[in-house]
Amino acid sequence: MSDSFMKRVVIIGKNHGAVVDAAVPKPKENWVLIKIHAAPLCTEYKGFVAGQKADYLGHEASGEVVEVAQPGRVKPGDRVAVMPGYPCGGCKLCRSGDYIHCENEIDFAAFTGSNEGKATLAQYMLKPDWMLTPIPDHISYEHGAMACCGLGPTYGAFERLGVRGGETVLITGMGPVGLGGVICANYLGAQVIGVETHPYRIDKAKELGAKYIINPEEENVPEKITDLTGGTGVDKAIDCSGSPIAHRICIEALRRRGSLAFVGESTGNTRLIVSPDMIRKGIVLKGSWHYNMKGALDMMGIIAKNGPQINHLITHQFSIEQIQDAWETQVSGQCAKVVIRPWK
């Protein structure tokens, strides 16, 4: 590594993103330096819209290991997908693969000496080697990057719910996460009923294989969904919208003994009535953030077998210098997964 400086994305004001020069970080112990080739956008656009100034952005990426401080699990030249966060790696949750729920996250700046290297919307980053998933040679960096929030949240939810072939799955919210859920559900052999209002995303969900799409603004939505299942209700449901209205739709459209996972971040109050909603129906309700590390290689298998669908999931690619256009595209809703190419 001879480069001293890199480019990194920042938010400098309301609806105003920019690119700055920053020092390239140095690897330390089992933390390695990764040259980022694909960085999907996720919830960062919310800070862009709100004008929340930020210097270190992003949590999804794929790239090439370019420098290590010591021999470890990866070596220079390895192609990897980067998992989110900086968990401790030693607690019971981390050791069991549920690192996403770690309560002892590492203080990045205290460990490395600065905050440089923790952003994925940059040309380089640092990551512990155990949080890197190998990308097979026949999978592109752009596709490999979908192993994080593109397919990861819904894959993890379906795993926790035990979704099987032949079942009917309800997905509320056809944003990028929900659209990734359509791909995962189809891979498992399940039939998808989607709930969405945005015309672009309705069309995209159908393109990816959703059998039915219901507009939540219509009347009697849970009843209409139940009618599509022969009157019994859906077997499984996941909410990717974070909307309390969508939560109610999922609860009411579930069959008795069905299972539901909340995936979308939410600050609203969901009205849950314990007896009729939970006890009498016997439903299982779970919160699901990401997937257990043991599923990382399975995720690459899903990506490998769904290349054409993932091409449709990734609707836009921008250079790092085009971050303003990328975020404006996200805000418009006229997109699915948007990817930044830092070296394009």
Side-chain angles (χ1 to χ4, degrees):
M1 269 293 303
S2 58
D3 295 338
S4 299
F5 295 96
M6 66 175 181
K7 297 184 183 298
R8 171 168 50 77
V9 169
V10 297
I11 296 173
I12 60 177
K14 186 176 178 62
N15 296 315
H16 195 177
V19 175
V20 298
D21 288 333
V24 175
K26 295 294 292 181
K28 178 181 179 180
E29 297 181 12
N30 70 324
W31 288 36
V32 306
L33 183 67
I34 301 159
K35 182 177 182 179
I36 301 173
H37 287 283
L41 296 182
C42 195
T43 56
E44 300 82 20
Y45 77 92
K46 295 178 181 179
F48 169 76
V49 172
Q52 297 171 347
K53 293 184 179 180
D55 292 319
Y56 304 99
L57 295 155
H59 53 268
E60 304 181 62
S62 66
E64 175 191 358
V65 176
V66 291
E67 189 174 352
V68 301
Q70 64 185 31
R73 299 188 183 197
V74 296
K75 63 184 184 303
D78 285 354
R79 306 169 72 248
V80 295
V82 177
M83 295 296 103
Y86 287 90
C88 73
C91 69
K92 183 176 180 180
L93 288 166
C94 286
R95 289 181 178 276
S96 69
D98 283 327
Y99 67 92
I100 198 70
H101 299 291
C102 176
E103 295 180 291
N104 307 299
E105 284 225 347
I106 293 171
D107 184 326
F108 187 99
F111 179 75
T112 66
S114 79
N115 278 314
E116 212 60 73
K118 72 177 183 180
T120 60
L121 293 179
Q123 290 181 315
Y124 293 99
M125 74 175 302
L126 296 174
K127 207 73 178 181
D129 60 5
W130 66 273
M131 295 197 68
L132 304 174
T133 298
I135 300 176
D137 290 341
H138 62 281
I139 294 177
S140 69
Y141 282 116
E142 293 74 30
H143 282 205
M146 294 300 105
C148 195
C149 296
L151 301 178
T154 51
Y155 168 77
F158 289 155
E159 185 179 53
R160 293 197 66 193
L161 296 178
V163 172
R164 301 189 299 271
E167 291 188 318
T168 300
V169 173
L170 172 66
I171 304 176
T172 51
M174 290 288 112
V177 172
L179 291 170
V182 176
I183 294 175
C184 288
N186 285 338
Y187 172 80
L188 294 170
Q191 175 180 279
V192 175
I193 299 175
V195 173
E196 178 57 57
T197 60
H198 198 292
Y200 179 95
R201 290 173 172 173
I202 289 172
D203 290 342
K204 181 60 68 173
K206 292 178 179 177
E207 179 183 29
L208 291 173
K211 186 167 184 179
Y212 305 105
I213 301 291
I214 304 293
N215 189 326
E217 296 176 350
E218 297 176 2
E219 294 183 356
N220 304 317
V221 171
E223 291 85 350
K224 290 181 178 179
I225 295 171
T226 300
D227 288 344
L228 293 174
T229 65
T232 61
V234 297
D235 299 296
K236 309 287 168 60
I238 63 170
D239 173 62
C240 300
S241 72
S243 165
I245 293 174
H247 295 168
R248 284 304 313 172
I249 291 172
C250 288
I251 292 167
E252 294 177 24
L254 267 179
R255 64 167 173 80
R256 292 187 175 235
R257 300 293 292 168
S259 300
L260 161 64
F262 290 158
V263 172
E265 298 282 356
S266 177
T267 57
N269 294 318
T270 295
R271 184 173 59 88
L272 181 66
I273 305 171
V274 172
S275 181
D277 289 342
M278 298 286 294
I279 297 174
R280 298 299 176 90
K281 290 185 73 172
I283 69 172
V284 174
L285 174 61
K286 298 186 177 184
S288 188
W289 192 355
H290 199 48
Y291 58 94
N292 186 288
M293 185 66 87
K294 66 178 170 50
L297 297 182
D298 290 339
M299 173 60 68
M300 286 300 164
I302 295 173
I303 291 171
K305 293 180 180 179
N306 289 274
Q309 289 88 344
I310 292 174
N311 284 335
H312 292 300
L313 179 65
I314 301 171
T315 55
H316 297 79
Q317 297 189 47
F318 295 93
S319 71
I320 198 168
E321 299 284 1
Q322 296 172 306
I323 188 61
Q324 181 72 23
D325 294 335
W327 272 329
E328 289 178 358
T329 299
Q330 261 197 304
V331 172
S332 76
Q334 297 288 121
C335 63
K337 204 62 177 170
V338 178
V339 174
I340 299 299
R341 300 275 301 281
W343 296 92
K344 184 177 179 181

